[in-house]
Amino acid sequence: MTHPKTIPKDLFPVLWSYDVAKLDPWRDRHSIIVNTVNYGDLKQWRWLVESYGTKEVQQVLGEAKSSTVLRRRARKLFSLLLTV
C-alpha cells in the first residue's frame, strides 16, 4: 500500500468543513476517513480502501467507534462492506 499523495476532487464535498488545500492525505487521514464514511458514496468509499488499505480504514473506524463521530447507519453499512 502506498500513501495517497493527493485528495481527489470528488472528495471535496464530504470535506466541506476543512480547507482541503491544507489537508495532508496521510497526516489528516482520520478526518478524511471519518467524513468520507459518514457522507461519501460507494465510489468515495472505494477510494478510501484503495488509498489507505482495509486495515488502516478499519483501525481508524475502530478508534472512532467509541465516540459519536460516526453516523450509526454509515458505520453499519461500511462494516458490512469491509467484511465481505
Side-chain angles (χ1 to χ4, degrees), residues 6 16 33:
T6 60
W16 72 86
I33 290 171

Side-chain angles (χ1 to χ4, degrees), residues 9-14 36 39-49 78:
K9 289 186 181 197
D10 69 334
L11 235 58
F12 289 11
V14 300
T36 303
Y39 306 108
D41 59 24
L42 187 57
K43 180 182 175 187
Q44 293 162 332
W45 288 6
R46 189 172 293 126
W47 178 86
L48 284 181
V49 174
F78 204 80

Side-chain angles (χ1 to χ4, degrees), residues 13-65:
V14 300
L15 300 170
W16 72 86
S17 61
Y18 299 94
D19 183 352
V20 180
K22 293 183 180 180
L23 287 177
D24 177 88
W26 186 250
R27 181 194 66 221
D28 300 311
R29 65 190 176 280
H30 185 273
S31 299
I32 294 168
I33 290 171
V34 167
N35 271 39
T36 303
V37 169
N38 276 333
Y39 306 108
D41 59 24
L42 187 57
K43 180 182 175 187
Q44 293 162 332
W45 288 6
R46 189 172 293 126
W47 178 86
L48 284 181
V49 174
E50 291 171 359
S51 299
Y52 295 105
T54 303
K55 287 184 180 185
E56 182 65 30
V57 172
Q58 287 174 326
Q59 181 179 343
V60 169
L61 295 179
E63 293 167 1
K65 275 186 180 181

